[in-house]
């Protein structure tokens, strides 16, 4: 019997943390192996890190496959959650503190249904931010990007170099912009005519 406390029954045998590829905007992933865990795999967010719990006996290839599966599941769960206006305001305040040293202070942040050609808008004189309801159900990093975009307008009115330098602080800016561009492109694709069931 090993005297090593890390190899006692039930204790995790190994915990590894991997950083995402640089520029991907993904959060660090910590894989925790446990001898108690036989078949089940689970994952959750812990701050800005993702924790994946797996059985200790899993191979490296199985670990990689399950990490990918669990990241997809978490993203799907998060995209279904719709934030209310109060949660949007709290989120905007947190994002401002994290990326803009709290300098962008919105008076109100809310969902609206009358913005079909833009994702968000801001009235700096009033400190009001409005997000299109079309963002509901999109990944949280995309909503965060749009919130940060509008928060940046509270500090810089146009889309000049100073504005984009502010958004450079958010590591998922390019990924979120690509996602939104993909949504717009998909909307422009011709839709197949419905088929008649006979």
């Amino acid at each position: 019997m090993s005297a090593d406390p890390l190899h006692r029954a039930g204790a995790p045998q190994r915990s590894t943390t991997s950083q995402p590829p640089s520029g991907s905007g993904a959060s660090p992933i910590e894989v925790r192996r446990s001898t108690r865990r036989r078949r089940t795999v689970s994952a959750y967010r812990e701050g800005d890190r993702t924790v994946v719990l797996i059985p200790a006996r899993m191979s490296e290839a199985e670990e990689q496959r399950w990490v990918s599966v669990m990241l997809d599941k978490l993203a799907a769960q998060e995209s279904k959650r719709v934030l209310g206006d109060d949660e949007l305001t709290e989120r905007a305040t947190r994002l401002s503190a994290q990326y803009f040293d709290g300098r962008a202070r919105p008076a109100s942040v809310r969902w609206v249904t009358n913005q079909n050609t833009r994702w968000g808008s801001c009235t700096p004189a009033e400190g009001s931010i409005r997000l299109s309801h079309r963002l509901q159900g999109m990944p949280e990093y995309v909503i965060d990007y749009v919130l940060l975009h509008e928060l940046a307008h509270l500090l810089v009115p146009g889309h000049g170099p100073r504005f984009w330098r502010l958004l450079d602080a958010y590591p998922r800016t390019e990924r979120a912009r690509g996602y939104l561009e993909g949504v717009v492109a998909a909307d422009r694709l011709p839709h197949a005519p419905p088929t008649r069931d006979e």
Side-chain angles (χ1 to χ4, degrees):
M1 184 161 125
S2 171
D4 181 355
L6 290 178
H7 290 96
R8 285 190 305 232
Q13 281 191 335
R14 185 165 52 111
S15 177
T16 56
T17 301
S18 61
Q19 293 296 327
S22 118
S24 72
S27 61
I29 300 158
E30 181 178 342
V31 177
R32 296 180 187 165
R33 291 176 172 260
S34 170
T35 54
R36 280 190 184 168
R37 200 171 273 273
R38 297 286 178 215
R39 291 186 197 96
T40 61
V41 176
S42 62
Y44 60 91
R45 305 280 191 213
E46 188 175 81
D48 61 351
R49 141 188 341 264
T50 302
V51 177
V52 181
L53 307 170
I54 64 172
R57 293 181 181 157
M58 236 179 223
S59 70
E60 293 294 322
E62 289 174 310
E63 174 183 317
Q64 288 178 3
R65 184 176 70 83
W66 276 106
V67 165
S68 177
V69 166
M70 298 313 289
L71 289 175
D72 288 346
K73 277 188 167 187
L74 279 175
Q77 289 169 355
E78 290 168 352
S79 71
K80 289 177 186 167
R81 192 172 149 252
V82 176
L83 303 172
D85 290 350
D86 290 340
E87 289 173 305
L88 273 182
T89 302
E90 289 171 21
R91 193 174 198 94
T93 301
R94 275 197 318 272
L95 289 167
S96 176
Q98 184 174 358
Y99 295 103
F100 302 149
D101 298 320
R103 292 177 294 133
R105 296 184 184 99
S108 69
V109 184
R110 62 191 173 90
W111 295 109
V112 293
T113 57
N114 62 350
Q115 289 191 45
N116 294 315
T117 58
R118 40 177 149 165
W119 299 112
S121 63
C122 170
T123 307
E126 298 171 3
S128 62
I129 292 174
R130 294 159 304 280
L131 297 189
S132 171
H133 72 286
R134 296 177 305 139
L135 288 164
Q136 293 175 341
M138 289 189 188
E140 288 187 0
Y141 75 90
V142 174
I143 296 170
D144 285 353
Y145 163 73
V146 177
L147 276 171
L148 280 163
H149 186 106
E150 300 311 329
L151 285 165
H153 280 308
L154 293 177
L155 303 172
V156 179
H159 289 104
R162 193 167 150 241
F163 174 85
W164 292 111
R165 275 195 302 275
L166 279 174
L167 283 180
D168 282 345
Y170 183 56
R172 296 184 176 191
T173 291
E174 289 307 313
R175 185 176 174 195
R177 290 183 70 189
Y179 185 99
L180 293 171
E181 287 168 8
V183 170
V184 170
D187 284 347
R188 291 183 181 149
L189 291 174
H191 296 286
T195 57
R196 282 180 50 184
D197 294 328
E198 309 210 76

